[in-house]
Amino acid sequence: MTRELIVHRAGPAVTLQDGGRPGWIAYGLSRGGAMDRLALAEGAALLGQGETAALEMGGLGGRFEAGCDLRIALTGAPMRASIDGAPVTWHACHALPKGAVLEIGPVQSGAYGYLSVGGGLVPEEILDAVSAHLTAGLGRAVEAGDRIPVGADRGSAVARRLAVADRFSGGELRVVESLQTRLFPEEQRARLGTTRFIRDARANRMGVKVVPEGAPFGVEGGLSVVSEIITPGDIQVTGDGAPFVLLAESQTTGGYPRLATVIPADLPRVAQAPAGAELRFRFVTMEEALAAEAAFRAALKELPRKVEPLVRHPGDVPDLLGYKLVSGFSNGEHHDH
Amino acid sequence: MSDLPAYPLLRTAGIDGMLVSFGDKLSEPANRAALAFRAALEADRWDGVEEISSSLVSAYLRFDPLAVGHAPLEARLRALMGSRDWLQAEMPHGRRLHRIPTVYGGTLGPQLAEAAQVAGMTEAEALASLSSARVRVTALGFAPGQPYLGELPEVWNIPRQQALTPRVPKGALVLAIRQFVIFSVTAPTGWRHVGQTAAPLFRLGAERPFLLAPGDEVEFPQVSEEVFARMQADPEGGATWEALA
């Protein structure tokens, strides 16, 4: 029996993503990979396996069929989902028996939902990874008719869930100084921390535009900064004074100056901020940023231990009110805060 | 107000990167220094270092900041920075000279006349200048295998356009500020599109997926549209190379 996931319909921004391709920036190819790496780790924890490639679904999911008995995990931005018409919980893993149809609708909050599969999706590798990197011309979006190979599944657990803190509605982002922060006037550096930014509708896997409330940002005069290395999280200020936060598929070099850099631990929150969400930036010291990185990595390691049965008798749950039992069934207008 | 830095300059890039820069604008010595410093880092890969690259005037090092501390890494980099005059460095070894046939002007290089005018030349003079120029790959960046190539004669110190050209094709030869770029993907650009090449810069599955490497030198001899049309069937796009000493 061929182990595969059959695609009957896919939104326009559905791609295969893994941790990306580190090691090629010297050749002009940025790492790429999942926009929300935490979601990949959550999928792996729910399925009780190492991190594998998953389907990243920007804004809209699709209609999928199990070509064999499969286990699936749904993570990242909550989306309306059902198996053979019966609604299923997000941030959880489920059985998807051969022939069953998984329907995934639009995001309820956040921007990118993920579908992970027991055994992992194992399409052909390109330069030692499977991530589509559309900006660089590697791979392509997933389309109706695709049959994506699935690896051997060594696990068996299903009907398990993860309690996930909200990272799907913007919020505060910790930043460190970038290479070019000092090119900006002190007034602007101070204002960065007190300005509210709105995540613009303009966003893709290269980055998201954030529009400041109030005066624009920028370096005065005919600026001709030499093109320099770019890293994900860099806040690049282009001509119109509205910064872009650069993400997984950022270019590897660029000439527009960078105001600051969002720390890796907070990048999932940038990637998942939906259009219209409010974002704020706060400068932290390198020591604070490194402590945040250590905490983030520790939390990733803890994920498998935080997985719990999906259905429990309410009496067994002493802190019931602390849980968001049904995630992703809001109308999308109201986010949990 | 902006500080006045002294070069070489060490700065952090994010929480996991350090950048050593040898100037605030492109120059031949600064580019050589960046390439040589990068080569020195590659020759003696330090624990905790995950990736090394160079851009036009800087060498970049990405590391695991929880495995190797900022302070010891910075001290080690500063020692290397001070160990010699990097601006006097030689070019890296194993370099190649590439000849990439190019169609200039016409529909395949629609802005040659405009670029010539901005540079104060006739179109014929511009063609002669560009098709005989020998430039060096100063960096690969922006897109896979996409080279920055410099420096063209001083007369080509022309600015970018005010407005972006919405789309230049893969293989487009564009120029601004004494540099060429060949596009490895179809993209918008503010640089002027003066010619078209057919050599793939990036070939999946090839033993050497990226045609060019920083330090390589490149010439763009002129060919006719007829010759160019034939070259498009050639996997090398008509490009040839020889080893440089």
Side-chain angles (χ1 to χ4, degrees), chain B residues 150-168:
Chain B
E151 286 186 289
L152 290 165
E154 173 60 37
V155 66
W156 290 109
N157 195 11
I158 65 173
R160 294 162 198 232
Q161 308 173 88
Q162 290 287 340
L164 290 185
T165 303
R167 181 181 178 276
V168 294

Side-chain angles (χ1 to χ4, degrees), chain B residues 4-15:
Chain B
L4 283 176
Y7 291 93
L9 175 67
L10 189 154
R11 290 171 289 178
T12 54
I15 68 166

Side-chain angles (χ1 to χ4, degrees), chain B residues 178-195:
Chain B
R178 295 186 68 184
Q179 293 171 83
F180 279 133
V181 163
I182 313 172
F183 271 87
S184 73
V185 292
T186 295
T189 182
W191 297 32
R192 286 183 173 85
H193 182 191
V194 298

Side-chain angles (χ1 to χ4, degrees), chain A residues 23-25 27-28 228 252 297, chain B residues 51 55 58 64 142-143 145 148 204:
Chain A
W24 297 98
I25 54 168
Y27 299 94
E228 201 44 273
T252 61
R297 291 196 204 174
Chain B
E51 188 156 10
S55 42
S58 308
D64 179 347
F142 195 81
Y148 290 81
L204 277 175

Side-chain angles (χ1 to χ4, degrees), chain A residues 10-11 73 76 88 114 146 174 179 248 259 309 315:
Chain A
V88 292
Y114 292 82
D146 285 351
R174 291 163 289 184
L179 302 177
L259 185 49

Side-chain angles (χ1 to χ4, degrees), chain A residues 243-269:
Chain A
F244 272 87
V245 184
L246 298 172
L247 296 168
E249 282 183 14
S250 67
Q251 62 276 36
T252 61
T253 56
Y256 290 112
R258 269 67 58 68
L259 185 49
T261 303
V262 178
I263 68 171
D266 289 352
L267 284 184
R269 189 177 286 278

Side-chain angles (χ1 to χ4, degrees), chain A residues 11-80:
Chain A
V14 175
T15 56
L16 275 156
Q17 296 297 337
D18 55 16
R21 274 174 204 86
W24 297 98
I25 54 168
Y27 299 94
L29 174 59
S30 60
R31 176 172 177 165
M35 291 285 279
D36 180 354
R37 298 263 163 75
L38 180 51
L40 281 190
E42 289 166 346
L46 281 163
L47 292 166
Q49 64 188 18
E51 220 169 280
T52 61
L55 273 192
E56 177 180 278
M57 302 172 286
L60 186 63
R63 186 178 166 88
F64 309 96
E65 181 189 331
C68 59
D69 287 347
L70 293 176
R71 295 187 303 139
I72 60 160
L74 303 168
T75 61
M79 301 169 112
R80 195 186 304 278

Side-chain angles (χ1 to χ4, degrees), chain A residues 6 48 67 73 78 82 130 137 153 163 169 185 195-196 218 229 238 249 255 274 282 299 328 335:
Chain A
I6 303 163
S82 64
V130 305
D153 189 359
S169 54
T195 300
R196 300 195 320 156
I229 184 86
T238 54
E249 282 183 14
R282 177 167 66 88
H335 305 305

